[in-house]
Amino acid sequence: MTSALCALALLAALAGPIVLRLLRHPGFVTGRDGRLSTSTTLALAWTVILVWLLLATLGYGLTAGGGVGWFQGPEGPLSSLTTVYLPLLGGPYAALIAAKAVVGMRVERGSMAKPAPKGTGRRPVHDLISNDGGRTDLVDLQYVALSAVTMLYVVAFFLTDVGGGLPKLPAEMWALTGAPAGAYLLNKVAVRGNPVITRVSVTDGLLTVEGGGFGDNPRVEVDGTALPTTVTPAGTLTAALTATAPPAFTVVVTTHGLRSDPSPYAPPSAQPSAPLPAQPSEQPA
């Protein structure tokens, strides 16, 4: 019991400062769009857990375990490190590196665009299981859910027997992170990216839509009405608004049967005029 409590205290001491740092400055685990990155967050979580397991095992071995001799032998406390735990960590890191490469190349080619960062406030955890448009993505959901269950499994079994070293999990346990990581990466590679709108502006009745993934023959829709669309050399879309267009509306871009998420537009609010300086009141003679 004492060993488990000490291990929990070590986990809190290790993870606490990292969580506080990420809450204040989450840029380390966010993508170029300012949203939480699923692959980066899970890789970081697995790194923290593995470091905690090693430090807790080292602390136990040098105190209650009896010293250096406790670590030796084919059935020592670290015997499953290379067969189970490094593969568990390898899946998330392989997905992280490959996903960054795939997304970077697609953004560079213009076949994918990332929405602009939405301020600098806290990032919702829902980012981990949603696509760029904020909708829940089944592939991301299964990756996060199976990884979380595996982490809980490892932590719980370790706390039940800290003196046994790294929990003797089945060698096939790596599949609970490797297979979801592979599906996550395949989703990044194979799924064709929908058009993404990053900015909408209106100048003198001309609508300008910025973003990416627009393809060769895009179509701009305003509140469900298609408008004649022109693609500029810079890759932005322009369309003339009709005289009956409302001041606020929703824009959707369609290309090759794929639709972007709706992007609402509202005219900038009029700046309040500065109050006139108060006139000095006339004093009676």
Side-chain angles (χ1 to χ4, degrees):
M1 185 64 179
T2 303
S3 300
L5 292 177
C6 291
L8 280 176
L10 177 61
L11 179 59
L14 184 64
I18 296 177
V19 173
L20 292 177
R21 176 69 171 78
L22 294 178
L23 288 176
R24 296 173 182 172
H25 305 284
F28 182 70
V29 291
T30 57
R32 67 180 67 195
D33 55 0
R35 300 172 63 253
L36 287 178
S37 168
T38 303
S39 57
T40 303
T41 302
L42 292 181
L44 175 62
W46 273 113
T47 300
V48 171
I49 288 179
L50 184 57
V51 170
W52 168 65
L53 290 173
L54 295 176
L55 289 178
T57 302
L58 176 63
Y60 182 90
L62 296 180
T63 55
V68 178
W70 182 67
F71 294 92
Q72 300 175 352
E75 298 298 326
L78 303 180
S79 59
S80 58
L81 178 62
T82 57
T83 58
V84 177
Y85 291 92
L86 290 185
L88 276 177
L89 188 65
Y93 268 95
L96 167 62
I97 296 171
K100 284 185 177 295
V102 169
V103 172
M105 289 188 295
R106 295 185 68 177
V107 169
E108 185 178 353
R109 292 199 307 262
S111 61
M112 176 183 290
K114 286 293 185 178
K118 300 178 181 179
T120 57
R122 292 184 178 180
R123 273 64 179 181
V125 178
H126 185 261
D127 284 352
L128 298 177
I129 60 173
S130 62
N131 58 21
D132 292 341
R135 299 179 180 177
T136 300
D137 189 290
L138 180 59
V139 176
D140 289 5
L141 176 61
Q142 60 87 30
Y143 187 22
V144 172
L146 290 178
S147 296
V149 170
T150 308
M151 292 178 195
L152 182 61
Y153 191 96
V154 170
V155 171
F157 270 71
F158 180 70
L159 292 176
T160 58
D161 185 16
V162 177
L166 300 183
K168 302 300 188 292
L169 304 176
E172 295 80 9
M173 197 68 159
W174 67 268
L176 286 179
T177 59
Y184 172 83
L185 178 58
L186 186 61
N187 186 53
K188 294 289 185 183
V189 175
V191 174
R192 186 177 179 182
N194 284 28
V196 174
I197 299 175
T198 58
R199 185 172 180 269
V200 176
S201 60
V202 176
T203 304
D204 297 331
L206 184 65
L207 174 67
T208 301
V209 181
E210 301 177 20
F214 294 149
D216 300 329
N217 190 24
R219 181 181 64 185
V220 172
E221 297 179 7
V222 173
D223 288 343
T225 302
L227 300 179
T229 305
T230 301
V231 182
T232 69
T236 61
L237 308 181
T238 59
L241 293 174
T242 62
T244 58
F249 48 81
T250 300
V251 178
V252 173
V253 174
T254 303
T255 178
H256 301 296
L258 300 174
R259 293 170 58 88
S260 69
D261 288 319
S263 179
Y265 170 81
S269 57
Q271 297 294 329
S273 58
L276 296 176
Q279 299 294 330
S281 58
E282 296 182 0
Q283 299 295 332

